[in-house]
Amino acid sequence: MSTTIRTAPRGRKAFLGTARPGNSFRALSTRPRGDGRAARRAGRLPRNLTVAAAEEPKAQEPATDLGKEVVESYASYDESGARIISTRKVEIPLETGGGAAKAVKLGTTPIDTIKDISKSYKKLVWTLVTLLTVAFVLCNLDKVNMSVAVIPLAKQFGWSATDKGLVSASFFWGYALTQIPAGFVASKLGGGPVLVLAVLTWSLGTAVAPLVAGLGIVPLALSRLVVGLGEGFAPSAVTDLLATYVPKKLRARSVTTVFGGMELGNALGLLICGPLIEKSGWSSVFYIFAALGFVWCAFWPIFSPTKLAANVDDDMVEEIMQKKKAKKSSKIPYGEFFKSSAVWAVVTAHFCHNWGYYTLLAWLPSYFESVLQLNLTGAARMSLVPYLAMACMIPVVGAVADGLQEKYSTTNARKVAQGLAFVGPAICMVVCGFLSPNAISCKTLLLTVLSVAFALSTFSRGGLYCNHQDLSPKFAAALLGISNTAGALPGIIGVWLTGKLFDITGGDWALSLFIPIAAAQILGFLVFSAYGSGKQIWE
């Protein structure tokens, strides 16, 4: 910040200067009369005073201390030549755009533009990323456990493929119902408390599932609906936290890592569930995973970003708090969202991407058990391999997606990443459909093609999953709530429809599972390529 100095000693012309830290300043008027050197020797003028000829004042630099109280100093000399310093406190108004302060806009934190991030702030970001990643690992542990447990449950209670689809889909009813409310609540209350409540809710729903399973499909389905209600709040809460604390420079890596926790959760669940069920019964995967969720909630207050922010630069914390206040006091423009082609593009992309993600998540263990004639553990372990491929791609996708932004516009970077996530898996799904009738003889090739499809789909973390924050850091949670509502529908429609088509076609996996996925991926690619945007629209 610069300080304005006005001096007017007797017998000299007044002049205006600009003081910089260290008491040095440049005069902007004619040289004062008298012997300046003698005055300096007498200690009457500052040693570092430089006097220049009159010139036009230069344009003032944009203020960067907007919204803060600063001290403005005035210096003068009395008749004896002694310097007198006068100060007063002034407040630089918080601008919302335009003028010299146009670089600082309410709702857009300056951390999005900084180049050098302090070690303390990096610690906050990556601690937050770690906590959120673990939350998503637990989220998908409680999601994938039913994918494996449904096999012994169906044998125990005599369920058909349609019944299995209904039980698995019940989770997504709760998940879909909470998406838009979750976006609104996370925007108003902040992502932290909403996420803790979400983890508590889905852990409770998971814990009661074994207690009600013996009562019939409906009670079990209701318990899974509660799990879906809890997990439905998680993506919006996580997105709000990332949009608030993570600078754009680290956005793709952070988003990819955090949402990559879902893939890691899938892999761990498929690795653990089979042996656990065979050793301790199918109820064990519900009790153990629920307990882990309660443990996570106990750790959150210790490592939450609010607590870690105490060790971060005061200026950075102030900007974060201003952003939080702005989001809480702002009206979410839902009407404008639904009029935007960019929003509809990300909504369509989310729906199409999740058609493949959720149908494979729910049916892949049953698929391997059917076509490869494996037992429960063998089917679960075979299903694990594609998800391990996804987990291995997490650091690669984050680095590539952030690198694309250095070469291309944000819009093109998102389209390239999402294009890879759509086109590659679509081709692989068609190949899997052709290989399924002869799956036993070409098991290695089938597993390789599936793994490639899953690995390429991970690029969506650098595509559509970053896009909500691109369109509006301020309303990212609300935007994700809208798109994830569409993204939850495949869990309801797709998972159920796959089971129905399987019964109708007499067990044709190509027509019931793989071809519908390929069609959805191509649709998503066409719409997002035509209408997707990475430009910020809402402040």
Side-chain angles (χ1 to χ4, degrees), residues 1 171 181 295 311 365 422 429:
M1 192 197 85
F171 165 90
V295 171
N311 300 320
F422 276 143
M429 291 300 101

Side-chain angles (χ1 to χ4, degrees), residues 6 163 202 227 257 342 373 391 473 501 520 533:
R6 293 183 178 87
D163 292 332
W202 85 56
V227 176
T257 302
Q373 301 176 7
L501 289 174
S533 174

